[in-house]
Amino acid sequence: MFALLKKLKKLRIAAVALCLALCVPAFADTAGEEDLARQLFTDSAQQAIRSGDLIVLVSPAANASPFGSATLEATMTRVALRFAELLPQKPNVQAANTEVRRALEDILIREGLDGWTNAVSDLVRQSAHFALIGTAGLSGGNLTLELALVSMRTGEVLAKTQAVPIDAPDNLAADPEGGIAAAVAKLLEAAPQARPEIVMLPFTDGSTGIPNVEAGSYFSPMVAEAWLEAANTLTAAINDASPPKLLRQTQALGGIALTGQIWRIDRERTRLVLNLSEGDVGLASQIVDITILRLPASIRDALDPGALGGGGGFSAVRALLGGNSPAWLRMEVAGGAMPIYEICEDTSPERVRRCDLISLTIEADEAGDLLCFALGDDLAFSLLVPNDLYRPLRLESRQKVSVPQDLQAVDPARGPPVLYAYGPPAPTLIGCLLYRQLDATLLKRLTDWSGKRLPTGDARTLGNLLQGSNPRASAEAVVTIVTSDGMRQFRLD
């Protein structure tokens, strides 16, 4: 990593010397970009930015976006330039540098997301006064972009936009078999070490992260067949090589995993993003656009945005979590990136011990009080930490804790704390927030809601409350709780 960071620093110096005012075309009134620039143009941004300050662009990692980095960088560049034009004190905007992006992607492959995050932080903090951070998504078939302007002097988020639809280049859609076969061959070419054995995980809806059983069951056999064909072609060229293996599981148990994210683009196309990873390290990613008209009617229905994610009732809350904030909070859920649990329907003390358990590992970069909750897509709410059974939990800086293992029960006679997957069977959002000190009024309100559906059945009641509570950091994950029949179906997927 040190060699790459040296390279990054050299590239930084070159980029600082040549800012965008000299090398990027004038701003064009492209869809959504003027709106984003004006949303960034707030009183706090005007007061904080001085003439000559440098803004660096941080686009999403390649595997965290339905569209490629180059598309997003070009859009962010135009928005940043227009934003700079609006400001009374004119800052400079650092040119999006292809070599820097490739160096960062190399770090991502070699050292995983932590290494990539550290490298971005090092690059930004040493070269810029402000970072413009982008988050991409899809809404109603449109590429959307959300931007946050962060001061590197104070760590403060000066401005944050809404997700705004923007222009994206048209992509030719392929037939499912041909497009998937080409994408899988490129995956194996990029990561030949995956040939001997991979684990295929259930495919998810890219917007929610929730497994899409119908579409996943349709696409995953095509991917498996294409993978085995490509891997066997490589095997034939290797003397005495064992046949490739492809395992189907609901969670990665080590080794290399192949995951798929399904994005509905418009009435004619869906997008399948295939990612190869080993632990937290991304190895390769490929995108294939698929013609929806070539899919069976039942699969077209399953890809309908209204049907994805079992309703996705918590999307308004999820959008507020895991974003930009003064500190960072990292949360890992036992069971991998897409954990699936069988619902616990037992109540007897002996039988309940065989139920699936939910466990979280949490770490923050500063000390503070932890608050965690669970929210079903039916808007059933549960306060996990703290609650009537467990005492408040205070995090120390960069010290990992496990929930519920590290919780202290109010009544020690109850025994060690556990979180059973009681359900109901549904996608469930687990959210955690870090506060310098928990507010008693906030805690009372959430305690009153716990065990019930959110008031008025509207996720915005919780979203607005959390947004106004000023957490230092937040993180989220989606787990899926299924019936025993559903678990068997996932194991076959």
Side-chain angles (χ1 to χ4, degrees):
M1 178 173 177
F2 292 110
L4 285 168
L5 286 177
K6 287 181 180 177
K7 181 180 179 183
L8 284 172
K9 290 172 184 174
K10 291 179 180 178
L11 293 169
R12 170 180 58 80
I13 294 169
V16 172
L18 182 61
C19 289
L20 287 176
L22 299 177
C23 56
V24 175
F27 178 82
D29 188 11
T30 313
E33 294 177 11
E34 178 75 17
D35 186 9
L36 286 167
R38 292 195 174 276
Q39 286 191 50
L40 290 173
F41 183 66
T42 64
D43 289 340
S44 57
Q46 294 178 52
Q47 294 168 7
I49 296 177
R50 298 189 289 265
S51 179
D53 280 351
L54 185 64
I55 301 175
V56 68
L57 310 181
V58 181
S59 60
N63 60 355
S65 165
F67 282 76
S69 298
T71 297
L72 292 170
E73 284 176 352
T75 300
M76 289 176 64
T77 295
R78 291 191 295 269
V79 171
L81 285 173
R82 177 57 178 156
F83 169 56
E85 286 179 9
L86 295 172
L87 290 169
Q89 298 288 323
K90 307 299 182 186
N92 293 319
V93 179
Q94 181 172 304
N97 191 304
T98 302
E99 291 186 63
V100 171
R101 172 158 50 84
R102 288 175 178 170
L104 289 172
E105 289 173 355
D106 195 7
I107 290 175
L108 180 66
I109 291 172
R110 293 174 182 271
E111 302 190 25
L113 187 57
D114 283 349
W116 182 88
T117 302
N118 291 337
V120 169
S121 299
D122 179 85
L123 174 67
V124 171
R125 285 193 170 93
Q126 292 190 42
S127 67
H129 303 98
F130 301 93
L132 188 63
I133 302 171
T135 303
L138 282 173
S139 177
N142 297 314
L143 171 66
T144 63
L145 182 62
E146 180 180 338
L147 298 174
L149 182 68
V150 179
S151 169
M152 305 316 298
R153 297 184 178 106
T154 65
E156 181 184 1
V157 178
L158 299 175
K160 187 172 183 179
T161 74
Q162 297 177 335
V164 174
I166 61 173
D167 285 346
D170 292 331
N171 292 279
L172 296 176
D175 67 280
E177 292 87 350
I180 287 174
V184 165
K186 291 178 181 178
L187 281 180
L188 190 57
E189 180 181 351
Q193 69 271 34
R195 182 205 65 83
E197 180 178 288
I198 62 167
V199 173
M200 181 178 288
L201 303 179
F203 288 5
T204 65
D205 164 37
S207 300
T208 66
I210 298 167
N212 186 315
V213 179
E214 292 80 7
S217 298
Y218 182 79
F219 288 128
S220 62
M222 294 184 192
V223 175
E225 182 179 351
W227 178 268
L228 290 174
E229 182 176 347
N232 276 315
T233 300
L234 183 58
T235 301
I238 304 174
N239 293 330
D240 301 323
S242 58
K245 294 181 181 179
L246 186 149
L247 309 176
R248 297 174 185 268
Q249 295 176 185
T250 58
Q251 61 186 48
L253 300 177
I256 297 176
L258 174 60
T259 60
Q261 291 177 305
I262 304 165
W263 302 82
R264 174 69 181 263
I265 299 177
D266 51 38
R267 296 180 61 184
E268 298 180 354
R269 294 174 299 159
T270 192
R271 172 160 290 176
L272 184 60
V273 180
L274 298 173
N275 295 308
L276 272 178
S277 60
E278 188 168 9
D280 292 332
V281 178
L283 301 177
S285 181
Q286 282 293 317
I287 294 174
V288 55
D289 284 350
I290 295 171
T291 303
I292 289 179
L293 299 178
R294 295 286 299 272
L295 302 179
S298 61
I299 305 304
R300 293 200 298 270
D301 291 342
L303 290 170
D304 186 281
L308 289 176
F314 48 63
S315 59
V317 179
R318 192 181 189 199
L320 298 172
L321 301 175
N324 303 299
S325 52
W328 57 255
L329 183 71
R330 294 174 184 157
M331 178 176 69
E332 296 179 5
V333 181
M338 301 177 297
I340 301 169
Y341 303 99
E342 184 174 341
I343 186 172
C344 182
E345 299 176 308
D346 295 319
T347 56
S348 68
E350 293 301 320
R351 297 179 65 187
V352 79
R353 292 193 180 104
R354 295 194 295 270
C355 287
D356 285 352
L357 303 179
I358 299 174
S359 179
L360 317 173
T361 301
I362 301 170
E363 181 185 11
D365 68 338
E366 64 179 50
D369 292 339
L370 182 69
L371 184 146
C372 294
F373 66 86
L375 181 66
D377 73 343
D378 60 351
L379 303 186
F381 177 80
S382 295
L383 185 59
L384 302 180
V385 181
N387 59 31
D388 294 339
L389 299 178
Y390 306 125
R391 299 184 188 280
L393 180 61
R394 185 162 183 84
L395 297 184
E396 299 301 329
S397 176
R398 300 183 184 273
Q399 181 176 328
K400 291 185 179 181
V401 299
S402 296
V403 173
Q405 291 88 333
D406 290 338
L407 297 178
Q408 292 184 352
V410 174
D411 180 5
R414 295 185 61 92
V418 290
L419 295 178
Y420 294 112
Y422 275 128
T428 298
L429 173 70
I430 296 179
C432 289
L433 301 100
L434 180 73
Y435 295 89
R436 283 201 172 108
Q437 185 173 4
L438 263 176
D439 179 73
T441 303
L442 170 68
L443 187 56
K444 183 180 185 306
R445 179 76 61 86
L446 296 179
T447 300
D448 291 342
W449 289 351
S450 190
K452 309 168 189 174
R453 292 191 70 205
L454 291 179
T456 71
D458 189 345
R460 285 173 294 185
T461 57
L462 177 60
N464 292 337
L465 182 64
L466 296 179
Q467 190 171 42
S469 67
N470 297 317
R472 298 293 297 167
S474 59
E476 51 84 18
V478 173
V479 304
T480 303
I481 300 174
V482 298
T483 62
S484 55
D485 289 340
M487 180 62 83
R488 283 194 290 272
Q489 186 170 13
F490 274 118
R491 284 172 178 150
L492 291 173
D493 184 16

PDB file of all heavy atoms in Angstrom, residues 12 42 86 93 98 100 111 150 189 192-193 265 280 301 304 308 323 358 379 400 425 448 458 463 471 484 492:
ATOM      1  N   ARG A  12      -1.474  13.480  -6.796  1.00  0.00           N
ATOM      2  CA  ARG A  12      -2.145  14.589  -6.129  1.00  0.00           C
ATOM      3  C   ARG A  12      -1.470  15.911  -6.472  1.00  0.00           C
ATOM      4  O   ARG A  12      -2.110  16.905  -6.791  1.00  0.00           O
ATOM      5  CB  ARG A  12      -2.141  14.367  -4.608  1.00  0.00           C
ATOM      6  CG  ARG A  12      -2.595  15.598  -3.842  1.00  0.00           C
ATOM      7  CD  ARG A  12      -2.580  15.329  -2.338  1.00  0.00           C
ATOM      8  NE  ARG A  12      -1.286  14.923  -1.842  1.00  0.00           N
ATOM      9  CZ  ARG A  12      -0.295  15.753  -1.575  1.00  0.00           C
ATOM     10  NH1 ARG A  12      -0.434  17.032  -1.774  1.00  0.00           N
ATOM     11  NH2 ARG A  12       0.863  15.302  -1.102  1.00  0.00           N
ATOM     12  N   THR A  42     -25.327  26.684  -0.139  1.00  0.00           N
ATOM     13  CA  THR A  42     -26.024  27.035   1.099  1.00  0.00           C
ATOM     14  C   THR A  42     -25.224  28.091   1.851  1.00  0.00           C
ATOM     15  O   THR A  42     -24.075  28.378   1.527  1.00  0.00           O
ATOM     16  CB  THR A  42     -26.188  25.806   1.998  1.00  0.00           C
ATOM     17  OG1 THR A  42     -24.884  25.347   2.384  1.00  0.00           O
ATOM     18  CG2 THR A  42     -26.932  24.694   1.272  1.00  0.00           C
ATOM     19  N   LEU A  86     -21.092  29.674  -8.604  1.00  0.00           N
ATOM     20  CA  LEU A  86     -22.113  30.341  -7.811  1.00  0.00           C
ATOM     21  C   LEU A  86     -21.547  31.004  -6.564  1.00  0.00           C
ATOM     22  O   LEU A  86     -22.129  31.965  -6.043  1.00  0.00           O
ATOM     23  CB  LEU A  86     -23.196  29.334  -7.398  1.00  0.00           C
ATOM     24  CG  LEU A  86     -24.026  28.722  -8.532  1.00  0.00           C
ATOM     25  CD1 LEU A  86     -24.919  27.618  -7.984  1.00  0.00           C
ATOM     26  CD2 LEU A  86     -24.861  29.793  -9.228  1.00  0.00           C
ATOM     27  N   VAL A  93     -11.401  23.316  -8.232  1.00  0.00           N
ATOM     28  CA  VAL A  93     -11.924  21.946  -8.226  1.00  0.00           C
ATOM     29  C   VAL A  93     -10.866  21.042  -8.821  1.00  0.00           C
ATOM     30  O   VAL A  93     -10.410  21.258  -9.951  1.00  0.00           O
ATOM     31  CB  VAL A  93     -13.236  21.849  -9.044  1.00  0.00           C
ATOM     32  CG1 VAL A  93     -13.735  20.413  -9.047  1.00  0.00           C
ATOM     33  CG2 VAL A  93     -14.285  22.783  -8.471  1.00  0.00           C
ATOM     34  N   THR A  98      -7.892   9.876 -13.839  1.00  0.00           N
ATOM     35  CA  THR A  98      -8.073   8.451 -14.133  1.00  0.00           C
ATOM     36  C   THR A  98      -7.009   7.605 -13.443  1.00  0.00           C
ATOM     37  O   THR A  98      -7.294   6.524 -12.926  1.00  0.00           O
ATOM     38  CB  THR A  98      -8.021   8.214 -15.649  1.00  0.00           C
ATOM     39  OG1 THR A  98      -9.038   8.991 -16.268  1.00  0.00           O
ATOM     40  CG2 THR A  98      -8.259   6.745 -15.971  1.00  0.00           C
ATOM     41  N   VAL A 100      -5.421   8.275 -10.642  1.00  0.00           N
ATOM     42  CA  VAL A 100      -5.738   8.197  -9.219  1.00  0.00           C
ATOM     43  C   VAL A 100      -6.827   7.152  -8.990  1.00  0.00           C
ATOM     44  O   VAL A 100      -6.747   6.327  -8.082  1.00  0.00           O
ATOM     45  CB  VAL A 100      -6.179   9.567  -8.685  1.00  0.00           C
ATOM     46  CG1 VAL A 100      -6.724   9.442  -7.266  1.00  0.00           C
ATOM     47  CG2 VAL A 100      -5.013  10.545  -8.713  1.00  0.00           C
ATOM     48  N   GLU A 111      -6.434  -4.619  -0.740  1.00  0.00           N
ATOM     49  CA  GLU A 111      -6.564  -4.444   0.708  1.00  0.00           C
ATOM     50  C   GLU A 111      -7.989  -4.260   1.194  1.00  0.00           C
ATOM     51  O   GLU A 111      -8.221  -4.049   2.386  1.00  0.00           O
ATOM     52  CB  GLU A 111      -5.713  -3.248   1.158  1.00  0.00           C
ATOM     53  CG  GLU A 111      -4.244  -3.405   0.792  1.00  0.00           C
ATOM     54  CD  GLU A 111      -3.385  -2.346   1.434  1.00  0.00           C
ATOM     55  OE1 GLU A 111      -3.781  -1.810   2.471  1.00  0.00           O
ATOM     56  OE2 GLU A 111      -2.323  -2.043   0.880  1.00  0.00           O
ATOM     57  N   VAL A 150     -18.069  18.120   2.492  1.00  0.00           N
ATOM     58  CA  VAL A 150     -17.496  17.926   3.822  1.00  0.00           C
ATOM     59  C   VAL A 150     -16.250  18.793   3.974  1.00  0.00           C
ATOM     60  O   VAL A 150     -15.385  18.809   3.092  1.00  0.00           O
ATOM     61  CB  VAL A 150     -17.129  16.445   4.053  1.00  0.00           C
ATOM     62  CG1 VAL A 150     -16.516  16.241   5.432  1.00  0.00           C
ATOM     63  CG2 VAL A 150     -18.361  15.562   3.886  1.00  0.00           C
ATOM     64  N   GLU A 189     -11.503 -13.817 -16.174  1.00  0.00           N
ATOM     65  CA  GLU A 189     -10.258 -13.298 -16.741  1.00  0.00           C
ATOM     66  C   GLU A 189      -9.579 -12.340 -15.760  1.00  0.00           C
ATOM     67  O   GLU A 189      -8.356 -12.334 -15.617  1.00  0.00           O
ATOM     68  CB  GLU A 189     -10.555 -12.578 -18.056  1.00  0.00           C
ATOM     69  CG  GLU A 189      -9.331 -11.995 -18.749  1.00  0.00           C
ATOM     70  CD  GLU A 189      -9.685 -11.271 -20.036  1.00  0.00           C
ATOM     71  OE1 GLU A 189     -10.846 -11.363 -20.470  1.00  0.00           O
ATOM     72  OE2 GLU A 189      -8.798 -10.602 -20.600  1.00  0.00           O
ATOM     73  N   PRO A 192      -8.500 -14.975 -12.119  1.00  0.00           N
ATOM     74  CA  PRO A 192      -8.359 -16.410 -12.419  1.00  0.00           C
ATOM     75  C   PRO A 192      -8.203 -17.269 -11.172  1.00  0.00           C
ATOM     76  O   PRO A 192      -8.438 -18.481 -11.225  1.00  0.00           O
ATOM     77  CB  PRO A 192      -7.103 -16.451 -13.303  1.00  0.00           C
ATOM     78  CG  PRO A 192      -6.356 -15.183 -12.998  1.00  0.00           C
ATOM     79  CD  PRO A 192      -7.404 -14.173 -12.679  1.00  0.00           C
ATOM     80  N   GLN A 193      -7.810 -16.666 -10.041  1.00  0.00           N
ATOM     81  CA  GLN A 193      -7.678 -17.450  -8.811  1.00  0.00           C
ATOM     82  C   GLN A 193      -9.017 -17.976  -8.316  1.00  0.00           C
ATOM     83  O   GLN A 193      -9.068 -18.826  -7.416  1.00  0.00           O
ATOM     84  CB  GLN A 193      -7.007 -16.621  -7.716  1.00  0.00           C
ATOM     85  CG  GLN A 193      -7.820 -15.455  -7.164  1.00  0.00           C
ATOM     86  CD  GLN A 193      -7.607 -14.172  -7.935  1.00  0.00           C
ATOM     87  OE1 GLN A 193      -7.398 -14.181  -9.152  1.00  0.00           O
ATOM     88  NE2 GLN A 193      -7.654 -13.043  -7.236  1.00  0.00           N
ATOM     89  N   ILE A 265     -33.776  -0.717 -14.552  1.00  0.00           N
ATOM     90  CA  ILE A 265     -33.407   0.569 -15.130  1.00  0.00           C
ATOM     91  C   ILE A 265     -34.631   1.278 -15.712  1.00  0.00           C
ATOM     92  O   ILE A 265     -34.898   2.427 -15.408  1.00  0.00           O
ATOM     93  CB  ILE A 265     -32.326   0.395 -16.213  1.00  0.00           C
ATOM     94  CG1 ILE A 265     -31.067  -0.219 -15.591  1.00  0.00           C
ATOM     95  CG2 ILE A 265     -32.005   1.721 -16.882  1.00  0.00           C
ATOM     96  CD1 ILE A 265     -29.976  -0.487 -16.586  1.00  0.00           C
ATOM     97  N   ASP A 280     -13.728  -9.173   2.698  1.00  0.00           N
ATOM     98  CA  ASP A 280     -14.092  -7.783   2.412  1.00  0.00           C
ATOM     99  C   ASP A 280     -13.390  -7.231   1.177  1.00  0.00           C
ATOM    100  O   ASP A 280     -13.566  -6.066   0.835  1.00  0.00           O
ATOM    101  CB  ASP A 280     -13.727  -6.891   3.615  1.00  0.00           C
ATOM    102  CG  ASP A 280     -14.586  -7.196   4.829  1.00  0.00           C
ATOM    103  OD1 ASP A 280     -15.726  -7.639   4.630  1.00  0.00           O
ATOM    104  OD2 ASP A 280     -14.105  -7.002   5.953  1.00  0.00           O
ATOM    105  N   ASP A 301     -42.678  -9.306 -13.590  1.00  0.00           N
ATOM    106  CA  ASP A 301     -43.454  -8.856 -12.430  1.00  0.00           C
ATOM    107  C   ASP A 301     -42.570  -8.766 -11.189  1.00  0.00           C
ATOM    108  O   ASP A 301     -42.699  -7.834 -10.383  1.00  0.00           O
ATOM    109  CB  ASP A 301     -44.614  -9.814 -12.164  1.00  0.00           C
ATOM    110  CG  ASP A 301     -45.680  -9.750 -13.252  1.00  0.00           C
ATOM    111  OD1 ASP A 301     -45.697  -8.751 -13.998  1.00  0.00           O
ATOM    112  OD2 ASP A 301     -46.469 -10.709 -13.362  1.00  0.00           O
ATOM    113  N   ASP A 304     -40.626  -5.620 -10.939  1.00  0.00           N
ATOM    114  CA  ASP A 304     -41.366  -4.384 -10.786  1.00  0.00           C
ATOM    115  C   ASP A 304     -40.905  -3.673  -9.523  1.00  0.00           C
ATOM    116  O   ASP A 304     -40.843  -4.285  -8.459  1.00  0.00           O
ATOM    117  CB  ASP A 304     -42.858  -4.678 -10.702  1.00  0.00           C
ATOM    118  CG  ASP A 304     -43.678  -3.392 -10.683  1.00  0.00           C
ATOM    119  OD1 ASP A 304     -43.745  -2.770  -9.608  1.00  0.00           O
ATOM    120  OD2 ASP A 304     -44.239  -3.037 -11.729  1.00  0.00           O
ATOM    121  N   LEU A 308     -40.279  -5.264  -5.456  1.00  0.00           N
ATOM    122  CA  LEU A 308     -38.970  -5.577  -4.913  1.00  0.00           C
ATOM    123  C   LEU A 308     -38.907  -5.294  -3.422  1.00  0.00           C
ATOM    124  O   LEU A 308     -39.434  -4.314  -2.935  1.00  0.00           O
ATOM    125  CB  LEU A 308     -37.886  -4.754  -5.619  1.00  0.00           C
ATOM    126  CG  LEU A 308     -37.594  -5.146  -7.062  1.00  0.00           C
ATOM    127  CD1 LEU A 308     -36.586  -4.191  -7.664  1.00  0.00           C
ATOM    128  CD2 LEU A 308     -37.090  -6.568  -7.163  1.00  0.00           C
ATOM    129  N   GLY A 323     -24.628   7.050   5.892  1.00  0.00           N
ATOM    130  CA  GLY A 323     -24.171   8.116   5.010  1.00  0.00           C
ATOM    131  C   GLY A 323     -23.024   8.913   5.589  1.00  0.00           C
ATOM    132  O   GLY A 323     -22.277   8.457   6.443  1.00  0.00           O
ATOM    133  N   ILE A 358     -29.031 -13.542  15.977  1.00  0.00           N
ATOM    134  CA  ILE A 358     -28.513 -12.362  15.274  1.00  0.00           C
ATOM    135  C   ILE A 358     -27.414 -11.742  16.125  1.00  0.00           C
ATOM    136  O   ILE A 358     -27.581 -11.563  17.330  1.00  0.00           O
ATOM    137  CB  ILE A 358     -29.629 -11.347  15.015  1.00  0.00           C
ATOM    138  CG1 ILE A 358     -30.715 -11.967  14.128  1.00  0.00           C
ATOM    139  CG2 ILE A 358     -29.084 -10.080  14.357  1.00  0.00           C
ATOM    140  CD1 ILE A 358     -31.928 -11.091  13.925  1.00  0.00           C
ATOM    141  N   LEU A 379     -42.990  -2.088   9.091  1.00  0.00           N
ATOM    142  CA  LEU A 379     -42.809  -0.960  10.005  1.00  0.00           C
ATOM    143  C   LEU A 379     -42.992  -1.345  11.469  1.00  0.00           C
ATOM    144  O   LEU A 379     -43.242  -0.483  12.317  1.00  0.00           O
ATOM    145  CB  LEU A 379     -43.716   0.210   9.637  1.00  0.00           C
ATOM    146  CG  LEU A 379     -43.537   0.743   8.202  1.00  0.00           C
ATOM    147  CD1 LEU A 379     -44.366   1.993   7.997  1.00  0.00           C
ATOM    148  CD2 LEU A 379     -42.076   1.027   7.891  1.00  0.00           C
ATOM    149  N   LYS A 400     -13.747  -2.580  19.245  1.00  0.00           N
ATOM    150  CA  LYS A 400     -14.887  -3.333  18.754  1.00  0.00           C
ATOM    151  C   LYS A 400     -15.696  -3.915  19.906  1.00  0.00           C
ATOM    152  O   LYS A 400     -15.139  -4.350  20.913  1.00  0.00           O
ATOM    153  CB  LYS A 400     -14.425  -4.473  17.833  1.00  0.00           C
ATOM    154  CG  LYS A 400     -13.850  -3.995  16.506  1.00  0.00           C
ATOM    155  CD  LYS A 400     -13.518  -5.156  15.596  1.00  0.00           C
ATOM    156  CE  LYS A 400     -12.968  -4.664  14.257  1.00  0.00           C
ATOM    157  NZ  LYS A 400     -12.658  -5.782  13.344  1.00  0.00           N
ATOM    158  N   PRO A 425     -41.524 -13.236   9.427  1.00  0.00           N
ATOM    159  CA  PRO A 425     -40.732 -13.438   8.209  1.00  0.00           C
ATOM    160  C   PRO A 425     -40.835 -12.225   7.298  1.00  0.00           C
ATOM    161  O   PRO A 425     -41.910 -11.894   6.815  1.00  0.00           O
ATOM    162  CB  PRO A 425     -41.372 -14.679   7.575  1.00  0.00           C
ATOM    163  CG  PRO A 425     -42.083 -15.362   8.692  1.00  0.00           C
ATOM    164  CD  PRO A 425     -42.546 -14.273   9.603  1.00  0.00           C
ATOM    165  N   ASP A 448     -41.198   3.984  23.801  1.00  0.00           N
ATOM    166  CA  ASP A 448     -42.656   3.927  23.677  1.00  0.00           C
ATOM    167  C   ASP A 448     -43.083   3.228  22.385  1.00  0.00           C
ATOM    168  O   ASP A 448     -44.125   2.564  22.345  1.00  0.00           O
ATOM    169  CB  ASP A 448     -43.248   5.338  23.714  1.00  0.00           C
ATOM    170  CG  ASP A 448     -43.133   5.997  25.088  1.00  0.00           C
ATOM    171  OD1 ASP A 448     -42.911   5.260  26.073  1.00  0.00           O
ATOM    172  OD2 ASP A 448     -43.241   7.235  25.165  1.00  0.00           O
ATOM    173  N   ASP A 458     -46.008   5.064   9.099  1.00  0.00           N
ATOM    174  CA  ASP A 458     -45.208   5.872   8.176  1.00  0.00           C
ATOM    175  C   ASP A 458     -43.761   5.889   8.654  1.00  0.00           C
ATOM    176  O   ASP A 458     -43.477   6.363   9.755  1.00  0.00           O
ATOM    177  CB  ASP A 458     -45.765   7.291   8.119  1.00  0.00           C
ATOM    178  CG  ASP A 458     -45.119   8.135   7.019  1.00  0.00           C
ATOM    179  OD1 ASP A 458     -44.067   7.713   6.500  1.00  0.00           O
ATOM    180  OD2 ASP A 458     -45.665   9.190   6.702  1.00  0.00           O
ATOM    181  N   GLY A 463     -37.742   8.411  10.547  1.00  0.00           N
ATOM    182  CA  GLY A 463     -36.687   9.092   9.801  1.00  0.00           C
ATOM    183  C   GLY A 463     -36.501  10.530  10.234  1.00  0.00           C
ATOM    184  O   GLY A 463     -35.369  10.988  10.432  1.00  0.00           O
ATOM    185  N   PRO A 471     -27.022  12.520  15.294  1.00  0.00           N
ATOM    186  CA  PRO A 471     -26.044  11.481  15.665  1.00  0.00           C
ATOM    187  C   PRO A 471     -24.666  11.826  15.130  1.00  0.00           C
ATOM    188  O   PRO A 471     -24.535  12.533  14.121  1.00  0.00           O
ATOM    189  CB  PRO A 471     -26.610  10.224  15.002  1.00  0.00           C
ATOM    190  CG  PRO A 471     -27.379  10.739  13.829  1.00  0.00           C
ATOM    191  CD  PRO A 471     -27.960  12.054  14.267  1.00  0.00           C
ATOM    192  N   SER A 484     -39.319 -21.791   7.317  1.00  0.00           N
ATOM    193  CA  SER A 484     -38.492 -22.969   7.011  1.00  0.00           C
ATOM    194  C   SER A 484     -38.599 -23.324   5.536  1.00  0.00           C
ATOM    195  O   SER A 484     -37.611 -23.717   4.908  1.00  0.00           O
ATOM    196  CB  SER A 484     -38.919 -24.159   7.885  1.00  0.00           C
ATOM    197  OG  SER A 484     -40.303 -24.416   7.729  1.00  0.00           O
ATOM    198  N   LEU A 492     -31.639 -23.541  -2.280  1.00  0.00           N
ATOM    199  CA  LEU A 492     -31.627 -24.046  -3.645  1.00  0.00           C
ATOM    200  C   LEU A 492     -31.238 -22.960  -4.635  1.00  0.00           C
ATOM    201  O   LEU A 492     -30.816 -23.238  -5.737  1.00  0.00           O
ATOM    202  CB  LEU A 492     -33.015 -24.602  -4.015  1.00  0.00           C
ATOM    203  CG  LEU A 492     -33.436 -25.883  -3.280  1.00  0.00           C
ATOM    204  CD1 LEU A 492     -34.881 -26.220  -3.617  1.00  0.00           C
ATOM    205  CD2 LEU A 492     -32.524 -27.034  -3.623  1.00  0.00           C
TER     206      LEU A 492
END
